[in-house]
C-alpha cells in the first residue's frame, strides 16, 4: 500500500543531507529557557534571527513584500490561520462571520473551522456560490491546494476580509511573477524547505491591531512557539538564502524544481495514454527569481476522471491511498495525489496507474 494522501515533503531530504554541517547548530542546556524572545517586538516570542532570515529570503526570492509588515510566527500555518480567524472576527457580532474558500479548497480549512464549533465564525463552503449578506472572511490559496491554480479573491464585497495562504508560492512550485502585497499572507517552513517536523510558519501582517490580536491568540493557545524550532528554521533559511546568492553552491529551489519537473513529466506521459484520466494544464510564465519562463510543478496532482465513480475507493483497490475530491468541495471523480512521496513509492504509483489506465482503456493487464 502506497500512501499519497499526505503532503509530507521528505522528497527534499537528500539536498539537506548534502549540506552537512552547514545547517548544524548546538543548543546548550542553559539556552532558550525564557518564554520571551524579544520584548521590544509585539510578537514577543519571535526569535530575532528568524525574523531577519524570513525578511532576507523574501527579498531574495521576490515573492512577498516585507517592508512595514509585522511578522507573526506560529506552529505551522495551521495555527496562524486560526489566529487570523480570531483576529478578523468579533465577539460583539450577533452572528458568526462567514468563512469561505473557492472550491476546490484545501480540505483542512473546513476541518479547522468546524473542530472547536466556535461562535466567532462559521464555515460556509465554496466562495463561488456564497450569497449571504454581511461580513465574511475568504481564504485565498495561491497556488491552490489541491489543483495548483493561481488564485485571486472571488467574492469581492465591501464587508469582506481576506487571508492569503501562500504556502506554495515558492520557485520550485510556480513562477514568481511579482512580490505579493496583501493584508495577511501566510507561509510555512514545511513547504518552503521541506522541514515539516519543525512546525514553523509565519504571517506577514499589515495592520498592527490585527497582528496584536493574532499574537493574543497564540499566547492563549500555546504561550508562543518553540524557540528551538525557530532558531533551527533561521539557520536553514539562512543557508537556503545564501545558496540562492552564491554561484558556487547548489540552489535549493533549482534542485527541488528539477525533481518536481521530472516527476510531472513522467506522470503526464502516463496519463496522456488514458481515455479516462486528465490533469490540469498550467500556463508558462516568466519567473522573476530564475529570470526565465517556467512551467508550474505543483506539490499535488489533481487527477480527474470522466467515469462517474468514487476514484479514491477504486485507487485503494489498487493499493494507492489518495484523497477524494469530495474532501475539497469537488466531485469524487477527482482525487488529489501527493507528488512528495519517496522515489520508490512514486515509481510504484506510476506502474499501478499505468495498469489501471490499460484496464480502463480496454487493454486488460494480466
Amino acid at each position: 500500500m502506497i500512501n499519497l494522501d499526505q503532503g509530507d515533503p521528505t522528497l527534499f531530504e537528500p539536498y539537506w543531507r548534502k549540506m552537512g554541517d552547514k545547517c548544524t547548530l548546538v543548543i546548550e542546556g542553559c539556552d532558550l529557557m525564557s518564554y520571551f524572545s524579544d520584548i521590544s517586538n509585539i510578537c514577543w516570542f519571535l526569535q530575532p534571527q528568524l525574523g531577519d532570515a524570513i525578511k532576507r529570503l523574501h527579498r531574495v526570492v521576490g515573492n512577498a513584500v516585507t517592508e512595514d509588515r509585522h511578522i507573526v510566527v506560529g506552529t505551522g500555518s495551521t495555527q496562524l490561520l486560526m489566529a487570523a480567524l480570531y483576529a478578523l472576527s468579533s465577539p460583539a457580532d450577533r452572528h458568526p462571520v462567514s468563512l469561505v474558500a473557492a472550491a476546490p479548497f484545501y480540505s483542512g480549512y473546513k476541518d479547522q473551522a468546524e473542530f472547536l464549533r466556535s461562535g466567532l465564525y462559521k464555515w460556509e463552503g465554496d466562495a463561488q456560490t456564497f450569497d449571504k449578506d454581511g461580513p465574511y472572511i475568504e481564504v485565498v490559496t495561491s497556488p491552490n491546494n489541491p489543483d495548483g491554480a493561481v488564485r485571486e479573491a472571488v467574492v469581492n464585497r465591501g464587508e469582506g476580509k481576506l487571508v492569503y495562504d501562500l504556502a506554495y508560492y515558492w520557485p520550485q512550485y510556480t513562477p514568481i511573477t511579482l512580490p505579493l502585497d496583501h493584508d495577511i499572507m501566510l507561509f510555512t517552513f514545511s513547504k518552503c524547505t521541506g522541514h515539516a517536523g519543525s512546525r514553523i510558519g509565519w504571517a506577514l501582517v499589515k495592520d498592527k491591531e490585527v497582528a496584536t490580536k493574532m499574537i493574543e491568540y497564540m499566547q492563549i493557545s500555546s504561550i508562543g512557539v518553540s524557540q528551538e524550532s525557530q532558531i533551527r528554521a533561521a539557520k536553514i533559511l539562512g543557508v537556503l538564502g545564501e545558496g540562492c546568492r552564491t554561484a558556487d553552491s547548489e540552489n535549493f529551489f533549482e534542485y527541488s524544481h528539477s525533481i518536481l519537473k521530472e516527476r510531472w513529466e513522467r506522470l503526464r506521459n502516463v496519463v496522456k495514454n488514458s481515455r479516462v484520466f486528465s490533469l490540469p494544464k498550467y500556463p508558462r510564465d516568466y519567473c522573476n527569481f530564475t529570470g526565465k519562463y517556467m512551467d508550474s510543478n505543483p506539490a499535488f496532482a489533481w487527477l480527474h476522471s470522466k467515469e462517474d465513480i468514487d476514484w479514491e475507493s477504486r485507487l485503494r483497490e489498487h493499493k494507492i491511498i489518495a484523497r477524494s475530491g469530495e474532501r475539497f468541495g469537488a466531485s469524487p471523480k477527482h482525487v488529489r495525489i501527493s507528488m512528495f512521496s519517496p522515489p520508490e513509492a512514486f515509481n510504484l504509483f506510476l506502474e499501478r496507474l499505468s495498469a489501471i489506465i490499460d484496464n480502463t482503456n480496454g487493454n486488460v493487464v494480466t
Side-chain angles (χ1 to χ4, degrees):
M1 187 70 75
I2 52 174
N3 190 340
L4 304 179
D5 176 81
Q6 300 291 335
D8 193 16
T10 56
L11 172 67
F12 306 138
E13 183 180 320
Y15 176 88
W16 295 110
R17 187 181 294 113
K18 286 192 295 184
M19 292 298 101
D21 291 340
K22 289 183 178 181
C23 298
T24 300
L25 55 88
V26 176
I27 302 174
E28 297 185 1
C30 59
D31 291 339
L32 310 174
M33 293 183 65
S34 173
Y35 288 115
F36 301 93
S37 298
D38 181 4
I39 59 174
S40 66
N41 191 332
I42 63 167
C43 188
W44 49 266
F45 47 84
L46 171 64
Q47 281 286 322
Q49 58 264 52
L50 177 58
D52 292 342
I54 287 169
K55 291 177 182 178
R56 283 196 302 269
L57 185 61
H58 281 303
R59 283 197 297 269
V60 168
V61 175
N63 61 342
V65 173
T66 59
E67 290 77 14
D68 301 319
R69 298 295 189 280
H70 302 283
I71 299 177
V72 181
V73 66
T75 306
S77 58
T78 300
Q79 188 182 33
L80 289 166
L81 174 63
M82 302 306 293
L85 298 182
Y86 171 79
L88 296 177
S89 55
S90 172
D93 291 342
R94 293 180 56 193
H95 303 288
V97 63
S98 298
L99 175 63
V100 298
F105 43 72
Y106 171 50
S107 57
Y109 296 151
K110 180 177 185 293
D111 297 339
Q112 294 166 40
E114 295 181 344
F115 184 70
L116 294 179
R117 301 180 183 179
S118 172
L120 295 176
Y121 46 82
K122 181 182 179 183
W123 175 251
E124 296 286 357
D126 187 2
Q128 296 171 97
T129 58
F130 177 69
D131 61 358
K132 290 181 66 174
D133 294 329
Y136 68 91
I137 301 169
E138 181 179 351
V139 184
V140 182
T141 313
S142 185
N144 191 41
N145 175 1
D147 65 354
V150 173
R151 290 279 189 86
E152 292 291 345
V154 170
V155 181
N156 295 315
R157 293 189 207 150
E159 294 183 83
K161 298 174 182 178
L162 303 176
V163 178
Y164 276 77
D165 185 344
L166 304 175
Y168 300 97
Y169 191 48
W170 296 103
Q172 65 266 52
Y173 307 113
T174 190
I176 303 301
T177 56
L178 77 166
L180 296 181
D181 183 12
H182 301 294
D183 289 348
I184 303 177
M185 300 183 286
L186 307 183
F187 293 89
T188 173
F189 189 42
S190 64
K191 299 309 186 293
C192 174
T193 69
H195 293 84
S198 294
R199 306 307 308 127
I200 290 292
W202 62 91
L204 303 177
V205 185
K206 274 187 183 180
D207 187 83
K208 184 177 181 179
E209 183 178 344
V210 172
T212 300
K213 286 195 68 177
M214 291 179 68
I215 293 161
E216 178 185 1
Y217 177 91
M218 309 295 292
Q219 179 174 339
I220 293 170
S221 64
S222 59
I223 319 181
V225 176
S226 166
Q227 294 185 46
E228 288 86 350
S229 288
Q230 289 189 61
I231 64 170
R232 181 179 189 234
K235 180 77 170 180
I236 292 170
L237 291 179
V239 171
L240 191 161
E242 187 62 28
C244 295
R245 293 190 295 265
T246 307
D248 60 354
S249 62
E250 187 175 18
N251 183 319
F252 169 75
F253 291 124
E254 291 179 355
Y255 168 89
S256 49
H257 176 267
S258 66
I259 293 177
L260 288 168
K261 179 181 178 182
E262 186 260 348
R263 288 195 168 193
W264 270 97
E265 288 173 351
R266 293 175 62 196
L267 177 58
R268 288 192 186 279
N269 282 335
V270 171
V271 172
K272 73 180 182 181
N273 298 316
S274 174
R275 301 173 188 170
V276 173
F277 290 117
S278 63
L279 290 164
K281 295 180 180 179
Y282 306 104
R284 287 175 63 85
D285 211 335
Y286 186 80
C287 178
N288 291 323
F289 174 73
T290 62
K292 57 188 177 183
Y293 281 88
M294 290 174 50
D295 294 312
S296 292
N297 300 288
F300 301 99
W302 187 235
L303 195 61
H304 173 257
S305 169
K306 295 178 183 177
E307 293 187 355
D308 192 13
I309 62 174
D310 181 353
W311 272 101
E312 179 185 14
S313 299
R314 178 63 63 87
L315 290 178
R316 188 175 285 269
E317 293 172 6
H318 293 266
K319 297 185 178 181
I320 301 170
I321 301 176
R323 193 174 300 185
S324 172
E326 287 187 305
R327 294 281 307 280
F328 304 92
S331 161
K333 294 192 292 184
H334 287 90
V335 288
R336 191 193 74 170
I337 303 289
S338 172
M339 300 294 281
F340 283 142
S341 62
E344 59 273 15
F346 188 74
N347 292 337
L348 270 176
F349 163 63
L350 293 184
E351 290 177 13
R352 293 175 186 177
L353 183 62
S354 295
I356 294 169
I357 287 172
D358 285 342
N359 277 308
T360 56
N361 286 348
N363 301 319
V364 178
V365 175
T366 59

